[in-house]
Amino acid sequence: MKNSCFKILKRDKNTKARIGVIQTKKGKIETPFFMPVATKASVKHISSMDLNEMDAKAVISNTLILHLRPGEKLIKEMGGVGKFMNWKGINATDSGGFQMYSPSLYLHSTEEGVWFKNPYEARKVFITPEKDMQIQLDLNSEIAMCLDTMPLMEHSKEQIQLAVERTTSWAKRCKQEHDKLQSKISQNKRQLLWGITQGGIHSKLREKSARELKELDFDGYSIGGLALGETEEQEMKMVKIHKKIIGENKPCYLMGAGNPPEMLEAISLGVDMFDSRFPTKCARHGTIFTSEGRIRLMRNKYLKDKKPLDKNCRCFVCNNYSKTYIRYQLKQQEAVGYRLASFHNLYYLQNLIKEAKRAIKQGKFKEFKNKVQKEYKKGDRDKK
Amino acid sequence: MKNSCFKILKRDKNTKARIGVIQTKKGKIETPFFMPVATKASVKHISSMDLNEMDAKAVISNTLILHLRPGEKLIKEMGGVGKFMNWKGINATDSGGFQMYSPSLYLHSTEEGVWFKNPYEARKVFITPEKDMQIQLDLNSEIAMCLDTMPLMEHSKEQIQLAVERTTSWAKRCKQEHDKLQSKISQNKRQLLWGITQGGIHSKLREKSARELKELDFDGYSIGGLALGETEEQEMKMVKIHKKIIGENKPCYLMGAGNPPEMLEAISLGVDMFDSRFPTKCARHGTIFTSEGRIRLMRNKYLKDKKPLDKNCRCFVCNNYSKTYIRYQLKQQEAVGYRLASFHNLYYLQNLIKEAKRAIKQGKFKEFKNKVQKEYKKGDRDKK
């Protein structure tokens, strides 16, 4: 039996928050961590040098998108997605299951696999669980994801049940193929594989998905199909169900979550990994994360504001630029505005995670979480 | 009589190339230098931190565009355009005369001034030479430009003659207003003002323009209305005429020129300052400046090329990223691709100027120029 890649170093006494470490073929990474989204092997407006500067430890790219262009064979020749983008941190890859949510890419799926449109050429692309594993191995990421079947929020319970069943069936095929492909690779060079639970916000279905995937003994587990518009209460309920079944000894990844108060809530339930476009998308629209909550930079009140985005932030953006300047650049749709705001929001999240870890170590996580969540409620005053 | 702001430190023996120094209210700047274009107080995809990193010494912004938004009064409150963009180097401002070239902004002009469209509001904007001077003073740039009348390349000789005459008449008004506005400012706090010669590629008109402006004794002189599609021979002929009339003791700025071999040719004729969108525009289209000439990164030959954009370049882009990676990001229209390619091209020009200065100091400028120009002819092989 293979060794566990995950070790818990410190547990919070008042919540399920923990500090852990995942051993990957590229080295160790401490949990919890947040992964900026590098779909096409780059984060929007943010280079891998910038990621180093903000002390990010991992990014997540997209298997389907990279398969379409430039193709996994090219990336393999370049030494894998990490070398391709010159990134010294950990690379995770999502399977492409999420793109079943994208009307511009998704056609339909069968028990065998998924048909996608190729937006670059007049041909369709058929992705099976087996093919997905081969692509992710070629991409040479440290952490791969199973191909899951992604139900839409508005789907009926019956449809979501079918998605859960297919996700389990594909997870088995992913596991089998992944084991086969890696059978000749030594333990310390193995790519890790995460199973993804589905089930929408239906307790029984989420439970069923978790139970079925647990049997397959993945290296880690992702919670899929959330952070898509459900309430935070519904979301956290699903996290709890997932965690209860999967247990505490596997890394837990809440896919798509990147809102500061939401992340802290999830950490308190024992979530270890996050990714989201939310911080960079927010940034481009002038929604800025700060130690005093979220601000809406495009409001008139910031027209003449010489102060940095966040007076308590030490990122290069806050050290060098005023709200007025960044606001103007965003208003003019200038790339520099997108870049500065994106860098700050991502830096903020990296720093938030650091502070969360410090609080866990000091046994003060709950106070820390409550404090930040309170600020975020206040910050939303800008909404009005 | 006011002191000259310009001192020549070293002259090349074989050409008219020289190293000089311009004293501005923000300190000295050595010539020759190249100014990245920061129209809206930012260079596309390049922050002022990036400009420091590439050792740029000056940028040029646009008076008309900044007047429209965010307005010179706001920038004045922020401490001027330099503080607004957090730029420690020299800020030059172009007057907006060039925007008479822009059909989306230009309406018409009279002897009194120019009517522009305001693209942000349903009202017209009237810019007079006097108003332009007031705006530039509010922007607080170190080097201001006269409001000139910009003829189009396709204009008749008669139209260009009228443009020359109006440019002279406006230059007088600019000078008068600028002197008046600055009459209470001590010599070392003065904003410098450049006159701009026009005349298209008509020798007699360019000569007339230079003669008339020379009488007004500006701090420096710009050559306007070139680098717009004329041949390099025609362009350099105009540079020679301008220089012959204005003389060697004033800084000479060839507006809009940013092509490496063209810049070196101009330096050999005694040009001291450049600005251009060309390097960043080229970069976004995959045309890369290198020590071996210009390459077209989008060619298939670079699809699998692990080498940097320029093997002899020491910029962070060449130290960290492959041609393949940048090509893919550009192809995907990802911001990171634009940023990396733009940084490299601008760095290349800054470095080219440094090497040109070194060659001037060593009395080897002509050899240096010939070598680079030869490489640039070879580099264009990619065109085929």
Side-chain angles (χ1 to χ4, degrees):
Chain A
M1 195 194 148
K2 68 172 195 286
N3 301 326
S4 169
C5 68
F6 184 56
K7 216 162 76 181
I8 294 171
L9 304 176
K10 172 85 187 171
R11 290 172 202 269
D12 182 46
K13 277 172 195 158
N14 305 309
T15 71
K16 298 213 160 170
R18 69 266 189 94
I19 294 172
V21 66
I22 300 172
Q23 178 71 51
T24 78
K25 64 184 169 64
K26 209 175 180 181
K28 291 183 163 81
I29 180 166
E30 229 183 54
T31 65
F33 60 88
F34 173 81
M35 300 186 281
V37 176
T39 303
K40 297 178 184 180
S42 75
V43 180
K44 288 215 179 302
H45 293 277
I46 300 297
S47 72
S48 58
M49 300 293 108
D50 297 326
L51 293 169
N52 290 339
E53 192 179 326
M54 68 178 69
D55 213 15
K57 303 295 189 192
V59 296
I60 186 159
S61 298
N62 189 289
T63 301
L64 171 69
I65 304 290
L66 290 175
H67 167 66
L68 295 174
R69 266 197 192 164
E72 66 277 12
K73 296 301 176 195
L74 175 66
I75 290 180
K76 189 181 178 182
E77 267 188 66
M78 294 293 139
V81 63
K83 282 200 176 153
F84 181 54
M85 65 185 286
N86 188 35
W87 169 235
K88 291 178 183 73
I90 302 299
N91 286 90
T93 38
D94 195 7
S95 59
F98 186 72
Q99 274 58 43
M100 295 172 71
Y101 222 82
S102 161
S104 66
L105 286 170
Y106 178 60
L107 290 168
H108 63 275
S109 51
T110 66
E111 183 52 36
E112 180 59 16
V114 203
W115 285 101
F116 288 106
K117 283 180 231 178
N118 183 337
Y120 306 121
E121 293 168 35
R123 64 178 181 90
K124 295 189 289 181
V125 180
F126 190 55
I127 302 286
T128 62
E130 291 78 12
K131 181 161 185 184
D132 207 281
M133 291 300 100
Q134 179 64 61
I135 300 171
Q136 291 192 65
L137 204 66
D138 285 342
L139 293 176
N140 199 22
S141 55
E142 279 68 50
I143 302 176
M145 298 292 141
C146 283
L147 184 65
D148 53 341
T149 284
M150 180 85 182
L152 303 189
M153 284 295 284
E154 61 268 34
H155 276 176
S156 67
K157 200 174 165 184
E158 289 64 37
Q159 285 172 302
I160 296 179
Q161 177 161 349
L162 285 174
V164 164
E165 285 162 6
R166 190 166 282 168
T167 293
T168 299
S169 143
W170 287 2
K172 284 179 191 161
R173 286 164 60 192
C174 282
K175 184 72 168 39
Q176 196 169 16
E177 182 71 11
H178 194 258
D179 283 348
K180 193 184 102 192
L181 289 171
Q182 297 204 104
S183 57
K184 287 164 200 156
I185 299 174
S186 65
Q187 172 78 14
N188 64 341
K189 299 281 183 204
R190 278 186 71 249
Q191 185 184 54
L192 301 172
L193 182 62
W194 265 222
I196 305 176
T197 67
Q198 289 293 348
I201 52 170
H202 301 278
S203 305
K204 292 287 172 207
L205 294 179
R206 183 67 60 176
E207 203 179 306
K208 171 183 162 75
S209 184
R211 274 193 208 290
E212 291 172 357
L213 294 192
K214 189 187 178 177
E215 277 183 32
L216 298 172
D217 192 26
F218 286 103
D219 297 302
Y221 287 87
S222 305
I223 308 176
L226 294 180
L228 289 169
E230 74 285 357
T231 66
E232 197 178 300
E233 206 188 328
Q234 293 171 322
E235 183 188 21
M236 295 308 153
K237 194 176 162 194
M238 293 305 114
V239 171
K240 282 180 199 162
I241 292 171
H242 170 105
K243 284 285 301 186
K244 198 180 155 194
I245 310 279
I246 302 296
E248 295 300 311
N249 295 325
K250 296 281 182 179
C252 176
Y253 169 19
L254 179 55
M255 302 182 92
N259 195 14
E262 173 195 24
M263 282 169 64
L264 294 183
E265 198 58 40
I267 288 174
S268 80
L269 301 177
V271 171
D272 308 295
M273 295 167 60
F274 301 90
D275 81 290
S276 178
R277 293 163 198 281
F278 187 68
T280 43
K281 200 173 166 184
C282 277
R284 295 197 297 276
H285 290 91
T287 298
I288 306 296
F289 301 159
T290 84
S291 58
E292 299 177 302
R294 205 159 40 221
I295 65 167
R296 316 274 170 173
L297 193 59
M298 305 324 278
R299 302 279 145 172
N300 275 334
K301 63 190 274 198
Y302 299 116
L303 179 66
K304 294 179 188 179
D305 190 331
K306 289 185 183 178
K307 294 187 291 297
L309 294 177
D310 181 357
K311 65 178 182 185
N312 297 314
C313 178
R314 292 175 180 189
C315 80
F316 93 90
V317 180
C318 289
N319 283 339
N320 288 289
Y321 300 98
S322 65
K323 287 198 191 78
T324 292
Y325 181 69
I326 298 168
R327 182 183 187 279
Y328 170 66
Q329 297 299 331
L330 285 176
K331 195 140 190 158
Q332 296 301 309
Q333 301 178 293
E334 283 290 322
V336 163
Y338 296 140
R339 173 168 152 66
L340 296 179
S342 296
F343 187 98
H344 167 80
N345 271 4
L346 289 175
Y347 182 99
Y348 173 85
L349 282 195
Q350 295 301 334
N351 193 55
L352 185 75
I353 294 264
K354 272 184 203 168
E355 288 184 351
K357 290 206 285 196
R358 202 175 305 131
I360 294 170
K361 281 176 191 162
Q362 296 171 342
K364 293 177 184 170
F365 178 72
K366 200 161 185 176
E367 295 86 319
F368 172 74
K369 174 174 86 74
N370 291 342
K371 191 177 141 267
V372 174
Q373 288 176 335
K374 202 176 139 198
E375 291 295 342
Y376 268 76
K377 272 187 199 150
K378 270 164 53 185
D380 274 337
R381 279 180 199 160
D382 268 0
K383 263 183 180 167
K384 288 158 207 164
Chain B
M1 194 192 148
K2 69 174 195 281
N3 301 324
S4 168
C5 67
F6 185 55
K7 214 163 77 182
I8 294 171
L9 304 176
K10 170 87 187 169
R11 289 172 201 270
D12 182 45
K13 277 173 194 155
N14 304 308
T15 70
K16 299 216 159 169
R18 71 268 188 92
I19 294 172
V21 66
I22 300 172
Q23 177 72 50
T24 78
K25 63 184 169 65
K26 209 176 179 180
K28 290 185 163 82
I29 180 167
E30 230 184 51
T31 65
F33 60 87
F34 173 81
M35 300 185 282
V37 176
T39 303
K40 298 178 184 180
S42 75
V43 179
K44 289 214 177 303
H45 293 276
I46 299 297
S47 73
S48 58
M49 300 293 108
D50 296 327
L51 293 169
N52 290 338
E53 193 180 325
M54 68 178 68
D55 213 13
K57 303 295 188 191
V59 296
I60 186 159
S61 298
N62 189 288
T63 301
L64 172 69
I65 304 291
L66 291 176
H67 167 66
L68 294 174
R69 266 199 192 165
E72 66 276 12
K73 297 301 175 194
L74 175 65
I75 290 181
K76 189 181 178 184
E77 267 188 66
M78 294 294 140
V81 63
K83 282 201 176 151
F84 181 54
M85 65 185 286
N86 189 35
W87 168 236
K88 291 179 183 70
I90 301 299
N91 286 90
T93 38
D94 195 5
S95 58
F98 186 73
Q99 275 56 45
M100 295 172 70
Y101 222 82
S102 161
S104 66
L105 287 170
Y106 178 60
L107 290 168
H108 64 277
S109 50
T110 66
E111 183 52 36
E112 179 59 17
V114 202
W115 285 101
F116 288 107
K117 282 178 231 179
N118 184 336
Y120 306 120
E121 293 167 34
R123 64 176 180 96
K124 295 190 287 181
V125 180
F126 190 55
I127 302 285
T128 61
E130 290 78 14
K131 182 163 184 181
D132 207 281
M133 291 301 99
Q134 179 64 60
I135 299 170
Q136 291 192 64
L137 203 66
D138 286 342
L139 293 175
N140 198 21
S141 55
E142 278 68 49
I143 302 177
M145 297 292 140
C146 282
L147 183 65
D148 53 340
T149 284
M150 180 85 182
L152 302 189
M153 284 296 283
E154 60 268 33
H155 276 176
S156 69
K157 199 173 166 185
E158 288 65 36
Q159 286 174 302
I160 297 179
Q161 177 162 347
L162 284 174
V164 164
E165 284 162 6
R166 189 166 282 169
T167 293
T168 299
S169 141
W170 287 3
K172 282 180 193 162
R173 287 165 59 191
C174 282
K175 184 71 167 40
Q176 198 170 13
E177 182 72 9
H178 193 258
D179 283 347
K180 192 183 104 191
L181 289 171
Q182 296 203 102
S183 57
K184 286 164 201 156
I185 300 175
S186 65
Q187 173 78 13
N188 64 342
K189 298 281 183 203
R190 281 186 71 247
Q191 185 185 52
L192 301 172
L193 181 61
W194 265 223
I196 305 175
T197 68
Q198 289 292 349
I201 51 170
H202 301 279
S203 305
K204 291 288 172 207
L205 294 179
R206 183 67 61 176
E207 204 179 306
K208 172 184 162 71
S209 184
R211 274 194 208 290
E212 291 173 357
L213 293 191
K214 189 187 178 177
E215 277 182 31
L216 298 173
D217 192 27
F218 285 103
D219 297 303
Y221 287 87
S222 304
I223 308 177
L226 295 179
L228 289 170
E230 74 284 356
T231 65
E232 197 178 299
E233 206 188 329
Q234 292 170 321
E235 183 188 20
M236 294 309 152
K237 194 174 162 196
M238 293 305 113
V239 171
K240 281 180 200 162
I241 291 170
H242 171 105
K243 284 285 301 187
K244 199 180 155 196
I245 310 280
I246 302 296
E248 295 300 311
N249 295 326
K250 295 283 183 179
C252 176
Y253 168 21
L254 179 56
M255 302 183 91
N259 195 15
E262 172 195 25
M263 282 169 64
L264 294 183
E265 198 57 40
I267 288 174
S268 80
L269 301 177
V271 171
D272 308 295
M273 296 166 62
F274 301 89
D275 80 290
S276 178
R277 290 162 200 282
F278 188 67
T280 43
K281 199 174 167 184
C282 277
R284 295 197 297 275
H285 289 90
T287 298
I288 307 295
F289 301 158
T290 84
S291 58
E292 300 176 302
R294 206 159 39 220
I295 65 167
R296 316 275 171 171
L297 193 59
M298 306 323 279
R299 304 278 145 172
N300 275 334
K301 63 191 275 200
Y302 300 116
L303 178 66
K304 294 178 188 180
D305 189 330
K306 288 184 183 179
K307 295 188 291 296
L309 295 176
D310 181 357
K311 65 179 182 186
N312 297 313
C313 178
R314 293 175 179 188
C315 81
F316 93 90
V317 180
C318 289
N319 283 340
N320 289 289
Y321 300 98
S322 65
K323 286 199 191 78
T324 292
Y325 181 69
I326 298 168
R327 182 183 186 280
Y328 170 67
Q329 297 299 333
L330 284 176
K331 194 142 190 156
Q332 296 301 308
Q333 302 178 291
E334 283 288 322
V336 164
Y338 297 139
R339 173 169 151 69
L340 296 179
S342 297
F343 187 97
H344 167 80
N345 272 4
L346 289 176
Y347 182 98
Y348 172 86
L349 282 195
Q350 296 300 335
N351 193 55
L352 185 76
I353 294 266
K354 272 184 204 168
E355 289 184 352
K357 290 205 284 196
R358 203 175 302 130
I360 294 170
K361 281 176 190 161
Q362 296 170 343
K364 292 177 182 167
F365 178 72
K366 202 162 185 175
E367 295 87 320
F368 172 73
K369 174 175 86 77
N370 290 341
K371 191 176 141 269
V372 173
Q373 288 178 335
K374 201 176 139 199
E375 291 296 341
Y376 267 75
K377 273 187 199 149
K378 269 164 54 185
D380 275 338
R381 277 180 197 159
D382 268 359
K383 263 184 180 167
K384 289 158 205 164

mmCIF file of all heavy atoms in Angstrom, chain B residues 136-151:
data_model
loop_
_atom_site.group_PDB
_atom_site.id
_atom_site.type_symbol
_atom_site.label_atom_id
_atom_site.label_comp_id
_atom_site.label_asym_id
_atom_site.label_seq_id
_atom_site.Cartn_x
_atom_site.Cartn_y
_atom_site.Cartn_z
ATOM 1 N N GLN B 136 0.022 71.904 -18.953
ATOM 2 C CA GLN B 136 1.323 71.246 -18.754
ATOM 3 C C GLN B 136 1.991 71.701 -17.457
ATOM 4 O O GLN B 136 2.677 70.927 -16.802
ATOM 5 C CB GLN B 136 2.241 71.456 -19.967
ATOM 6 C CG GLN B 136 1.725 70.697 -21.192
ATOM 7 C CD GLN B 136 2.718 70.624 -22.347
ATOM 8 O OE1 GLN B 136 3.773 70.035 -22.208
ATOM 9 N NE2 GLN B 136 2.367 71.212 -23.472
ATOM 10 N N LEU B 137 1.762 72.962 -17.114
ATOM 11 C CA LEU B 137 2.315 73.427 -15.842
ATOM 12 C C LEU B 137 1.632 72.707 -14.680
ATOM 13 O O LEU B 137 2.278 72.290 -13.719
ATOM 14 C CB LEU B 137 2.141 74.940 -15.717
ATOM 15 C CG LEU B 137 3.123 75.613 -14.757
ATOM 16 C CD1 LEU B 137 4.550 75.522 -15.279
ATOM 17 C CD2 LEU B 137 2.730 77.063 -14.527
ATOM 18 N N ASP B 138 0.324 72.535 -14.779
ATOM 19 C CA ASP B 138 -0.406 71.788 -13.744
ATOM 20 C C ASP B 138 0.056 70.334 -13.690
ATOM 21 O O ASP B 138 0.182 69.751 -12.612
ATOM 22 C CB ASP B 138 -1.915 71.837 -14.007
ATOM 23 C CG ASP B 138 -2.518 73.196 -13.666
ATOM 24 O OD1 ASP B 138 -1.858 73.963 -12.924
ATOM 25 O OD2 ASP B 138 -3.632 73.486 -14.133
ATOM 26 N N LEU B 139 0.298 69.749 -14.847
ATOM 27 C CA LEU B 139 0.770 68.357 -14.873
ATOM 28 C C LEU B 139 2.151 68.262 -14.231
ATOM 29 O O LEU B 139 2.566 67.206 -13.764
ATOM 30 C CB LEU B 139 0.807 67.825 -16.311
ATOM 31 C CG LEU B 139 -0.560 67.659 -16.997
ATOM 32 C CD1 LEU B 139 -0.368 67.232 -18.452
ATOM 33 C CD2 LEU B 139 -1.432 66.638 -16.266
ATOM 34 N N ASN B 140 2.845 69.406 -14.250
ATOM 35 C CA ASN B 140 4.133 69.519 -13.547
ATOM 36 C C ASN B 140 5.215 68.616 -14.148
ATOM 37 O O ASN B 140 6.046 68.054 -13.434
ATOM 38 C CB ASN B 140 3.918 69.203 -12.058
ATOM 39 C CG ASN B 140 5.065 69.716 -11.201
ATOM 40 O OD1 ASN B 140 5.799 70.612 -11.613
ATOM 41 N ND2 ASN B 140 5.235 69.124 -10.028
ATOM 42 N N SER B 141 5.179 68.474 -15.468
ATOM 43 C CA SER B 141 6.244 67.716 -16.130
ATOM 44 C C SER B 141 7.532 68.531 -16.103
ATOM 45 O O SER B 141 7.497 69.749 -15.906
ATOM 46 C CB SER B 141 5.837 67.405 -17.570
ATOM 47 O OG SER B 141 5.510 68.606 -18.251
ATOM 48 N N GLU B 142 8.640 67.853 -16.310
ATOM 49 C CA GLU B 142 9.921 68.565 -16.353
ATOM 50 C C GLU B 142 10.135 69.216 -17.719
ATOM 51 O O GLU B 142 10.731 70.280 -17.818
ATOM 52 C CB GLU B 142 11.094 67.608 -16.063
ATOM 53 C CG GLU B 142 11.316 67.356 -14.586
ATOM 54 C CD GLU B 142 10.195 66.558 -13.951
ATOM 55 O OE1 GLU B 142 9.815 65.516 -14.507
ATOM 56 O OE2 GLU B 142 9.668 66.999 -12.912
ATOM 57 N N ILE B 143 9.658 68.536 -18.760
ATOM 58 C CA ILE B 143 9.862 69.039 -20.124
ATOM 59 C C ILE B 143 8.507 69.121 -20.823
ATOM 60 O O ILE B 143 7.823 68.105 -20.973
ATOM 61 C CB ILE B 143 10.817 68.124 -20.919
ATOM 62 C CG1 ILE B 143 12.169 68.001 -20.191
ATOM 63 C CG2 ILE B 143 11.018 68.665 -22.338
ATOM 64 C CD1 ILE B 143 13.162 67.053 -20.866
ATOM 65 N N ALA B 144 8.126 70.339 -21.211
ATOM 66 C CA ALA B 144 6.848 70.544 -21.888
ATOM 67 C C ALA B 144 7.092 70.766 -23.379
ATOM 68 O O ALA B 144 8.200 71.109 -23.794
ATOM 69 C CB ALA B 144 6.138 71.750 -21.285
ATOM 70 N N MET B 145 6.056 70.553 -24.159
ATOM 71 C CA MET B 145 6.134 70.772 -25.610
ATOM 72 C C MET B 145 5.166 71.876 -26.000
ATOM 73 O O MET B 145 4.056 71.958 -25.453
ATOM 74 C CB MET B 145 5.731 69.500 -26.381
ATOM 75 C CG MET B 145 6.612 68.292 -26.163
ATOM 76 S SD MET B 145 8.262 68.482 -26.856
ATOM 77 C CE MET B 145 9.217 67.701 -25.525
ATOM 78 N N CYS B 146 5.569 72.670 -26.984
ATOM 79 C CA CYS B 146 4.650 73.646 -27.560
ATOM 80 C C CYS B 146 3.487 72.937 -28.235
ATOM 81 O O CYS B 146 3.639 71.819 -28.735
ATOM 82 C CB CYS B 146 5.370 74.466 -28.628
ATOM 83 S SG CYS B 146 6.433 75.724 -27.938
ATOM 84 N N LEU B 147 2.354 73.611 -28.273
ATOM 85 C CA LEU B 147 1.252 73.102 -29.098
ATOM 86 C C LEU B 147 1.600 73.388 -30.554
ATOM 87 O O LEU B 147 1.790 74.540 -30.943
ATOM 88 C CB LEU B 147 -0.063 73.803 -28.719
ATOM 89 C CG LEU B 147 -1.296 73.289 -29.466
ATOM 90 C CD1 LEU B 147 -1.599 71.838 -29.102
ATOM 91 C CD2 LEU B 147 -2.518 74.164 -29.189
ATOM 92 N N ASP B 148 1.727 72.329 -31.319
ATOM 93 C CA ASP B 148 2.067 72.487 -32.736
ATOM 94 C C ASP B 148 0.858 72.154 -33.602
ATOM 95 O O ASP B 148 -0.146 71.637 -33.109
ATOM 96 C CB ASP B 148 3.275 71.607 -33.112
ATOM 97 C CG ASP B 148 3.069 70.145 -32.721
ATOM 98 O OD1 ASP B 148 2.220 69.865 -31.847
ATOM 99 O OD2 ASP B 148 3.761 69.272 -33.273
ATOM 100 N N THR B 149 0.944 72.441 -34.861
ATOM 101 C CA THR B 149 -0.102 72.048 -35.806
ATOM 102 C C THR B 149 0.471 70.941 -36.664
ATOM 103 O O THR B 149 1.469 71.121 -37.348
ATOM 104 C CB THR B 149 -0.538 73.243 -36.668
ATOM 105 O OG1 THR B 149 -1.362 74.085 -35.874
ATOM 106 C CG2 THR B 149 -1.358 72.773 -37.862
ATOM 107 N N MET B 150 -0.178 69.829 -36.558
ATOM 108 C CA MET B 150 0.356 68.602 -37.139
ATOM 109 C C MET B 150 -0.274 68.358 -38.505
ATOM 110 O O MET B 150 -1.453 68.000 -38.588
ATOM 111 C CB MET B 150 -0.040 67.480 -36.176
ATOM 112 C CG MET B 150 0.408 66.119 -36.567
ATOM 113 S SD MET B 150 2.091 65.838 -36.009
ATOM 114 C CE MET B 150 2.315 64.189 -36.694
ATOM 115 N N PRO B 151 0.485 68.540 -39.589
ATOM 116 C CA PRO B 151 -0.106 68.225 -40.896
ATOM 117 C C PRO B 151 -0.063 66.722 -41.144
ATOM 118 O O PRO B 151 0.771 66.021 -40.575
ATOM 119 C CB PRO B 151 0.808 68.955 -41.877
ATOM 120 C CG PRO B 151 2.127 69.040 -41.189
ATOM 121 C CD PRO B 151 1.888 68.967 -39.705
#
